């Protein structure tokens, strides 16, 4: 049996995986032996970045590991999420569950192939973050959901995930507890109810407030009468028990179920037709909007995203200032004019683009791209400042994935290997999209091989469908990434993605408060 060496962390006791910890603090464990201690943060793979980096006492000193889809992964908290990242957002949240929660994000840093940290737009937790203006701090590492798991799945099941949440440090204030889709059809209502209730009570006993979630309806009549009965009973228990304990409920079932359907199918367009199980982008948006309503009530107006003109990076006086600048001009304000408009066959630019920004397209459609300025801003709570207003209208007959970028190219001399950087922007979709597949905040770290990306609102698959045909506003926040030793450039894009292959596609959005910052060391 193949083994690897693991450094024991200060979260472990005298025994790990049934073995006494030696004086060296290093254990030789198989993949199976290491999987659960990694989830608990009790061990670190020897040779990983975190194993060599000392950490302050108030932060976890290990790797948070999880076993997703049978593949062990380990993420360095020290190099990715530091005290500043936790403190800035205020309310630290974890999530447990299944692929409904796990599928919201991807977290594969270097040396992985195509390293990416992303929150996807067909994940409801992604929309929770965006529509609360990122006032919830839900790091990808704190999303412990795992695809295919039930409450009683060994090592990676939701019971094990709850155990891991109770051992996280810093401790989350809230824990979102996903539904029971994989238990339906495999276990009795009584058994599911027992495990779910025990998990809720364990969180409460450990000082963590649960927020519960009911289970989605299926996209078609794929459940037997007996299975549907278990689903209905369990959703009723989730709602009733939550009310009994004074717990907030995100009632995804009530939101998505077609009340007239005799088999309790989902409303049209809410579930991916490819599997009749997972939410489409539209379903995830509506689910996230319901979740945001719960957390916006909890959060009130504690924190919001704002960029001041003077908030510019300085190596001596403002080390966490905005890296999108030139001289005294803070490009993230989207102020003034003079931005570049890159020509493309079939594309017609018009209007004015903010200074420091380049508009560039990858696509083949005949398209009108209008750039305008909003000055002063008209969004709630703002009486000054500017926003860039973008309207894109692509004719039919173009590409299935046309990408329209507003691009910033900050001076690379201001970055150093080991810096951890994070990007944010405020966004308002003021014109209902048509055949738009994504609106992304896309941070790119160019390397000779395996360039590193961090994306919020990312398109995961064409099977996810289109953005909802409605207006909304929020804040995009790309997960923080480390500047690697071999990095050669950094670029930040706000990009709209349209499918103009079979019909006309369009979107209108306003953007402001664009920032790219180093997180405090």
């Amino acid at each position: 049996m193949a083994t690897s060496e693991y450094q024991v962390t200060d979260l472990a006791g005298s025994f790990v995986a049934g073995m006494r910890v030696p004086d060296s603090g290093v254990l030789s464990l198989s993949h199976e032996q290491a999987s659960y201690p990694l989830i608990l943060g009790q061990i670190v793979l020897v040779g990983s970045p975190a194993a060599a980096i000392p950490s302050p006492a108030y932060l976890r000193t290990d790797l948070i590991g999880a076993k997703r889809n049978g593949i062990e992964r380990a993420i360095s908290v020290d190099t990715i999420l530091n005290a500043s990242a936790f403190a800035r957002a205020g309310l630290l949240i974890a999530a447990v569950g299944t692929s409904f929660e796990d599928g919201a994000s991807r977290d594969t840093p270097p040396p992985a192939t195509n390293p990416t940290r992303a929150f996807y737009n067909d994940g409801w937790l992604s929309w929770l973050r965006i529509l609360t203006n990122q006032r919830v701090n839900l790091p990808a590492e704190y999303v412990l959901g795992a695809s295919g798991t039930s409450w009683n799945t060994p090592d990676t099941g939701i019971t094990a995930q709850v155990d891991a949440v109770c051992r996280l440090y810093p401790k989350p204030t809230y824990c979102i507890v996903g539904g029971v889709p994989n238990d339906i059809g495999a276990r009795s209502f009584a058994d599911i109810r027992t495990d779910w209730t025990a998990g809720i009570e364990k969180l409460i006993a450990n000082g963590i407030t649960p927020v519960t979630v009911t289970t989605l309806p299926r996209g078609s009549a794929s459940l037997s009468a007996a299975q549907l009965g278990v689903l209905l009973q369990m959703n009723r228990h989730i709602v009733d028990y939550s009310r009994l304990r004074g717990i907030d409920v995100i009632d995804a079932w009530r939101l998505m179920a077609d009340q007239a359907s005799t088999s309790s199918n989902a409303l049209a367009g809410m579930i991916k037709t490819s599997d009749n199980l997972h939410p489409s982008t539209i379903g995830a948006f509506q689910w996230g909007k319901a979740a945001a309503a719960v957390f916006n009530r909890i959060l009130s107006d504690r924190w919001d995203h704002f960029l001041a003109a003077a908030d510019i990076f300085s190596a001596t006086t403002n080390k966490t200032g905005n890296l999108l600048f030139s001289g005294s001009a803070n490009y993230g304000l989207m102020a003034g004019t003079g931005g570049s408009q890159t020509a493309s066959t079939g594309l017609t630019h018009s209007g004015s683009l903010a200074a420091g920004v380049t508009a560039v397209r990858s696509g083949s459609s005949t398209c009108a791209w209008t750039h305008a300025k909003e000055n002063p801003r008209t969004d709630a709570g703002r009486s000054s400042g500017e926003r860039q207003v973008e309207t894109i209208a692509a004719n039919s007959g173009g590409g299935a994935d046309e990408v329209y970028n507003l691009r910033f190219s900050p001076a690379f001399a201001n970055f150093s290997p080991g810096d951890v950087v994070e990007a944010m922007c405020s966004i308002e979709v003021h014109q209902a999209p048509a055949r738009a597949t994504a609106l992304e905040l896309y941070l790119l770290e160019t390397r000779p091989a395996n360039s590193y990306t961090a994306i919020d609102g990312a398109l995961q698959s064409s099977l996810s469908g289109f953005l909802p045909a409605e207006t909304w506003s929020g804040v995009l926040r790309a997960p923080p990434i480390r500047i690697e030793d071999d990095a050669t450039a950094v670029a930040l894009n706000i990009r709209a993605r349209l499918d103009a292959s079979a019909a006309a596609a369009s979107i209108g959005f306003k953007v402001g408060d664009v920032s790219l910052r180093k997180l405090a060391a």
Side-chain angles (χ1 to χ4, degrees):
M1 181 183 298
T3 62
S4 299
E5 289 192 333
Y6 295 85
Q7 178 71 50
V8 177
T9 75
D10 55 6
L11 295 183
S14 300
F15 289 84
V16 171
M19 301 172 64
R20 180 177 290 278
V21 177
D23 292 339
S24 66
V26 175
L27 287 172
S28 182
L29 302 173
S30 69
H31 175 85
E32 289 75 16
Q33 288 173 316
S35 59
Y36 192 55
L38 277 168
I39 293 175
L40 300 181
Q42 296 174 340
I43 55 175
V44 179
L45 183 64
V46 170
S48 65
I53 299 175
S55 298
Y58 51 80
L59 191 63
R60 290 187 59 177
T61 58
D62 59 308
L63 300 180
I64 294 175
K67 198 175 181 183
R68 294 190 173 183
N69 302 315
I71 302 173
E72 180 184 302
R73 72 183 181 102
I75 311 300
S76 171
V77 176
D78 294 309
T79 57
I80 300 299
L81 292 169
N82 58 24
S84 174
F86 285 112
R88 299 176 62 230
L91 194 68
L92 184 59
I93 294 174
V96 299
T98 63
S99 55
F100 292 168
E101 288 70 41
D102 170 60
S105 62
R106 180 182 178 186
D107 206 345
T108 54
T113 302
N114 300 319
T116 301
R117 306 192 78 219
F119 278 91
Y120 294 110
N121 67 11
D122 60 356
W124 72 275
L125 291 176
S126 302
W127 288 107
L128 167 63
R129 298 168 68 253
I130 294 168
L131 298 176
T132 56
N133 290 345
Q134 302 292 341
R135 290 177 297 157
V136 298
N137 187 15
L138 180 62
E141 291 85 355
Y142 274 44
V143 180
L144 299 184
S147 178
T149 59
S150 302
W151 272 84
N152 66 339
T153 303
D155 296 333
T156 59
I158 305 176
T159 294
Q161 295 171 32
V162 168
D163 291 344
V165 167
C166 293
R167 291 172 171 82
L168 288 175
Y169 188 82
K171 180 186 290 187
T173 305
Y174 288 85
C175 180
I176 295 168
V177 182
V180 295
N182 298 319
D183 291 87
I184 303 300
R187 308 176 66 211
S188 69
F189 165 62
D191 288 344
I192 303 170
R193 177 180 59 185
T194 296
D195 287 348
W196 182 92
T197 305
I200 297 301
E201 290 301 323
K202 180 158 190 176
L203 289 169
I204 294 172
N206 280 271
I208 300 170
T209 301
V211 174
T212 61
V213 182
T214 53
T215 301
L216 297 186
R218 298 296 202 268
S220 65
S222 57
L223 296 178
S224 68
Q227 291 169 340
L228 181 58
V230 172
L231 175 58
L232 291 167
Q233 290 180 85
M234 192 60 213
N235 277 343
R236 174 51 52 195
H237 176 71
I238 291 171
V239 171
D240 287 347
Y241 195 85
S242 298
R243 288 173 176 168
L244 175 69
R245 298 293 275 128
I247 296 169
D248 284 296
V249 186
I250 301 167
D251 197 349
W253 166 264
R254 181 177 179 180
L255 176 74
M256 295 194 192
D258 183 350
Q259 195 170 14
S261 170
T262 56
S263 53
S264 293
N265 294 346
L267 292 166
M270 292 287 194
I271 304 296
K272 292 178 184 176
T273 57
S274 57
D275 63 14
N276 287 315
L277 178 64
H278 294 90
S280 64
T281 299
I282 292 174
F285 172 81
Q286 298 298 341
W287 190 355
K289 187 163 67 171
V294 170
F295 278 97
N296 280 332
R297 184 178 68 252
I298 294 169
L299 290 160
S300 185
D301 293 323
R302 240 189 287 186
W303 183 86
D304 206 348
H305 182 48
F306 179 82
L307 179 66
D311 192 2
I312 293 173
F313 171 78
S314 167
T316 56
T317 62
N318 189 10
K319 295 181 180 179
T320 60
N322 194 10
L323 290 153
L324 309 176
F325 75 98
S326 178
S328 61
N330 190 333
Y331 288 153
L333 297 178
M334 307 303 284
T337 59
S340 301
Q341 301 174 12
T342 304
S344 173
T345 302
L347 175 65
T348 301
H349 289 281
S350 64
S352 299
L353 192 61
V357 184
T358 298
V360 59
R361 173 182 86 152
S362 172
S364 59
S365 67
T366 300
C367 176
W369 189 357
T370 304
H371 315 286
K373 304 308 298 299
E374 180 185 80
N375 186 10
R377 292 172 63 154
T378 61
D379 45 337
R382 301 296 180 94
S383 57
S384 65
E386 301 182 38
R387 287 193 294 180
Q388 184 68 41
V389 183
E390 298 295 295
T391 306
I392 306 167
N395 292 344
S396 180
D401 186 22
E402 300 201 344
V403 183
Y404 296 78
N405 290 283
L406 296 181
R407 179 170 296 160
F408 297 85
S409 301
F412 190 64
N414 291 324
F415 298 84
S416 300
D419 287 343
V420 178
V421 296
E422 176 188 68
M424 297 180 73
C425 72
S426 60
I427 202 85
E428 178 185 348
V429 175
H430 70 284
Q431 175 184 299
R435 296 183 65 82
T437 56
L439 184 57
E440 302 174 336
L441 183 61
Y442 183 93
L443 175 60
L444 172 65
E445 177 185 332
T446 302
R447 304 166 64 208
N450 273 341
S451 290
Y452 196 0
T453 58
I455 317 169
D456 198 11
L459 172 64
Q460 180 157 223
S461 166
S462 60
L463 299 175
S464 302
F466 301 114
L467 292 175
E470 62 179 90
T471 59
W472 53 270
S473 63
V475 172
L476 298 176
R477 184 181 189 182
I481 61 174
R482 180 185 186 275
I483 302 301
E484 298 297 314
D485 294 345
D486 59 350
T488 58
V490 172
L492 181 64
N493 298 270
I494 297 104
R495 62 185 203 173
R497 302 176 70 166
L498 306 181
D499 180 354
S501 61
S506 63
I507 190 171
F509 63 92
K510 303 177 182 181
V511 61
D513 305 300
V514 186
S515 65
L516 176 61
R517 304 178 185 277
K518 300 181 184 183
L519 298 183

